[in-house]
Amino acid sequence: MTTQSHEEAAAAPASPPSSGSDRASARTKGRTFSLGLDRFSGLYVWVAIIVLFAIWIPDTFMTQGNFRIVAGDQAITAILAIGLIVPLAAGVFDLSIAGVMGFSVAMVSYQLSQGISTPVAIVTTLLCGALIGAVNGFVVVKLHVDSFIATLGMSSILLAGTYWVTDGKQITEGFTDGFLDMGSKPFLGLPLPFFYMIAVAAVMYVLLEKTPLGRYLYATGGNRQAARLAGLRVERIMFGALMTSATIAALTGVVLAAKLGTAAPDIGPSYLLPAFSAVFLGSTQIRAGRVNVLGTLIAIYLLATGVKGLQLAGAPSFVNDLFNGLALIVAVALAARTARRN
């Protein structure tokens, strides 16, 4: 470097050191102010629905009885949906989950009608659920059948099994008072199934969000080949995920039998679509882009609040399906729009 250039460099004013506030300002420059629509759109829609019906029909909507009904009635769908999160996190479908629930309702009810004790009937039903999950896992992992096809076939088999156990009729006898209390006895003003849902949700939240096993599940579902190369036992994770979902579905069936005090051969299939809708809508919330427990709970009660409000307002029955579809589209569209901006 020449002497002249040294002199010019010395004469140039030194740049002042950037302060922490300047750096923070630079980082935030150009960012668009966001209300968290990419993660909390469902909460905004839920609040809007509550405000709407509170103004529209305050005498029937804004009551403790209505809130208790909404909280209790959705507990079954919520538990089933939480069980569905596990295989979806691992990248596999379980279309048999509603079939397992319906079969479990029939199993526990049949055993009680035959005079078998409540604890034995419950444990046997849960073991049957785990066995069904193991069969699903074997077919998917060992026989390499696509999970969609395997569990769809199992769902049909379970529907046939439910008709066989119930002989195509309702089972209404043999339910003990202790068993029925499990599904209908109130606690703190709410039915017990609501607290079962909270317990299952808490366990699954910790498992998925706070443990290595949860990270392994999401890694397997995100990129199975990369997870295998990283040393994860992908097949074992998928097998365990299907067993877990079936066991939770069996537990849901036991709770539903206790709540209804009866078993019908066609009780399971109607829960499949609501459970899937809740999980997929929930994947746009909290942990946007992946299935998660908190998002699923928000989705469950968002849809339930809207449907209940429409029922209390005297809307025709077809409006319920219309609302569910619109709510799903709006929430996903809001999340996608915000994601594009980011």
Side-chain angles (χ1 to χ4, degrees), residues 37-271:
L37 290 178
D38 56 333
R39 297 177 59 202
F40 305 109
S41 58
L43 286 174
Y44 290 121
V45 174
W46 191 10
V47 171
I49 290 170
I50 293 174
V51 171
L52 171 64
F53 287 113
I55 296 173
W56 187 3
I57 45 173
D59 294 339
T60 53
F61 185 79
M62 297 299 292
T63 64
Q64 291 184 357
N66 182 47
F67 292 139
R68 283 197 297 267
I69 291 172
V70 172
D73 285 353
Q74 296 305 310
I76 299 299
T77 304
I79 298 173
L80 193 67
I82 291 169
L84 185 60
I85 290 174
V86 182
L88 289 176
V92 291
F93 281 89
D94 188 357
L95 296 180
S96 69
I97 193 167
V100 176
M101 186 193 73
F103 182 75
S104 298
V105 171
M107 276 291 297
V108 71
S109 301
Y110 175 78
Q111 291 177 81
L112 292 172
S113 70
Q114 298 301 307
I116 297 175
S117 66
T118 298
V120 172
I122 293 175
V123 171
T124 303
T125 302
L126 294 180
L127 290 175
C128 283
L131 179 60
I132 294 168
V135 173
N136 281 338
F138 176 80
V139 173
V140 172
V141 172
K142 297 299 183 182
L143 301 183
H144 304 289
V145 178
D146 183 85
S147 62
F148 192 96
I149 300 300
T151 57
L152 181 61
M154 177 58 75
S155 180
S156 182
I157 294 171
L158 290 171
L159 183 59
T162 303
Y163 272 89
W164 175 67
V165 171
T166 61
D167 197 24
K169 304 173 184 176
Q170 286 193 339
I171 299 176
T172 58
E173 299 178 352
F175 296 95
T176 64
D177 291 339
F179 181 77
L180 294 176
D181 285 344
M182 291 172 50
S184 58
K185 189 175 182 179
F187 178 71
L188 298 178
L190 294 169
L192 281 177
F194 177 80
F195 296 97
Y196 303 152
M197 177 201 72
I198 296 297
V200 173
V203 171
M204 296 309 300
Y205 174 82
V206 172
L207 175 68
L208 293 172
E209 304 291 344
K210 304 298 182 181
T211 67
L213 180 57
R215 293 192 292 272
Y216 299 160
L217 282 166
Y218 285 120
T220 301
N223 191 321
R224 193 173 301 172
Q225 186 61 28
R228 185 179 288 108
L229 293 174
L232 297 184
R233 297 182 175 180
V234 171
E235 287 76 14
R236 182 174 295 184
I237 291 172
M238 294 165 56
F239 186 93
L242 288 168
M243 277 195 67
T244 301
S245 65
T247 304
I248 293 177
L251 173 64
T252 311
V254 171
V255 175
L256 181 58
K259 178 182 178 181
L260 298 178
T262 185
D266 57 350
I267 199 170
S270 62
Y271 284 86

Side-chain angles (χ1 to χ4, degrees), residues 278-279 281-287 292-300:
V279 173
L281 176 56
S283 69
T284 69
Q285 309 300 310
I286 310 298
R287 297 282 188 177
N292 66 91
V293 173
L294 295 180
T296 297
L297 293 180
I298 290 173
I300 287 282

